[in-house]
Amino acid sequence: MINLLNKISIPNDWKIELNNNGFFDSLNKPISFLEKELLDNKDISPAIENIFNAFKYCNFESTKVVIFGQDPYFQSGIANGLAFSVDEDQIIPASLKNIYKEIKDDIGPSKNKSGCLKSWAKQGVLLLNTALTVEVSKPGSHSNIGWDNFIYDIIKLINNKPNVVFILWGNHAQKYIRYLNNKNHLILYGPHPSPLSAYRGFFGSKHFSKCNNYLIRNNLKEIDW
């Protein structure tokens, strides 16, 4: 049996928080599933070593904004472990193009010239998918393998921090609202930026200016989108 946790590891500060709160066991189910899939030579997105990149580039202490996606991109070699993000040499996906359009209309053009969102993560934006993996060419295929319990535990951890902005786009992300009971947080939600739904209210939502205004009011540095 492959031991994935010997090959990959959630970054240490997140691991400490999970262990301290008795949450780390929620990783067992999805990791066991992935081990079996790899033994069957299934193609998984993102690459195994990138699964926890959202946590690698945004540590627990600095997290002040959480943006939810749904699945990682299900095309081979596209997803890089950050929701909505791709590597710099990749074509910008349609959902991210719509995100950039909304940023431009809301606060001016994004500083990003590519589809890579590591610069956001390094400022304290946790770019989190509701499932951290997917089988290539099979969207939604890992939505019920146990990632949901792990994500619930991550949300519970962050919910205990003060003054966090949660941005939930689409129905999959909005199911987490019930876990956000800290009145000091700002919760923003609306349609997914996918071309199939962006015109139903994602465009014009002004989530980026609302986020930054909230951070400034709470003496936190705004995000350079």
Side-chain angles (χ1 to χ4, degrees):
M1 176 65 74
I2 302 167
N3 190 333
L4 277 189
L5 288 179
N6 287 339
K7 295 183 64 177
I8 57 174
S9 180
I10 191 166
N12 197 49
D13 64 326
W14 288 98
K15 186 184 295 184
I16 290 169
E17 293 296 327
L18 287 164
N19 278 326
N20 287 346
N21 289 273
F23 291 159
F24 200 71
D25 287 348
S26 58
L27 269 177
N28 291 339
K29 185 176 179 182
I31 292 297
S32 294
F33 179 90
L34 291 175
E35 288 174 337
K36 294 174 184 176
E37 293 291 277
L38 291 172
L39 284 173
D40 288 338
N41 295 313
K42 298 289 182 66
D43 196 0
I44 305 299
S45 177
I48 292 300
E49 63 271 18
N50 294 332
I51 289 174
F52 294 121
N53 273 358
F55 307 98
K56 175 182 176 181
Y57 293 103
C58 180
N59 63 45
F60 177 78
E61 182 68 25
S62 68
T63 298
K64 56 187 176 183
V65 180
V66 182
I67 294 180
F68 276 98
Q70 188 174 334
D71 275 349
Y73 297 118
F74 60 85
Q75 301 88 346
S76 181
I78 302 299
N80 66 3
L82 303 173
F84 299 105
S85 176
V86 295
D87 289 338
E88 291 185 358
D89 59 345
Q90 299 285 349
I91 296 171
I92 298 175
S95 291
L96 184 53
K97 284 182 180 179
N98 285 340
I99 290 171
Y100 283 166
K101 181 181 186 302
E102 174 60 18
I103 290 172
K104 181 179 180 181
D105 293 345
D106 186 8
I107 57 176
S110 173
K111 301 297 191 297
N112 281 1
K113 302 305 179 187
S114 74
C116 184
L117 302 181
K118 288 179 184 177
S119 65
W120 294 4
K122 291 175 180 178
Q123 294 177 75
V125 181
L126 186 66
L127 294 159
L128 197 60
N129 282 311
T130 57
L132 299 191
T133 56
V134 66
E135 185 177 346
V136 168
S137 301
K138 295 184 178 181
S141 54
H142 290 183
S143 60
N144 294 311
I145 71 167
W147 283 125
D148 52 345
N149 289 327
F150 175 68
I151 299 300
Y152 291 152
D153 288 343
I154 291 293
I155 295 308
K156 290 172 192 172
L157 289 180
I158 301 171
N159 189 51
N160 291 326
K161 291 169 61 77
N163 306 124
V164 177
V165 181
F166 289 88
I167 303 177
L168 304 105
W169 293 325
N171 293 332
H172 283 267
Q174 288 167 31
K175 68 183 180 182
Y176 293 101
I177 289 177
R178 61 193 175 111
Y179 291 93
L180 305 176
N181 54 18
N182 187 328
K183 294 180 180 179
N184 293 320
H185 296 326
L186 175 64
I187 301 172
L188 302 171
Y189 58 91
H192 194 277
S194 160
L196 298 175
S197 55
Y199 288 93
R200 299 176 190 163
F202 173 78
F203 291 134
S205 61
K206 299 189 179 299
H207 284 170
F208 301 97
S209 59
K210 290 174 181 177
C211 172
N212 277 352
N213 290 338
Y214 172 87
L215 294 174
I216 292 168
R217 287 198 307 271
N218 287 281
N219 300 312
L220 296 166
K221 187 175 181 180
E222 63 186 310
I223 304 300
D224 192 359
W225 300 107

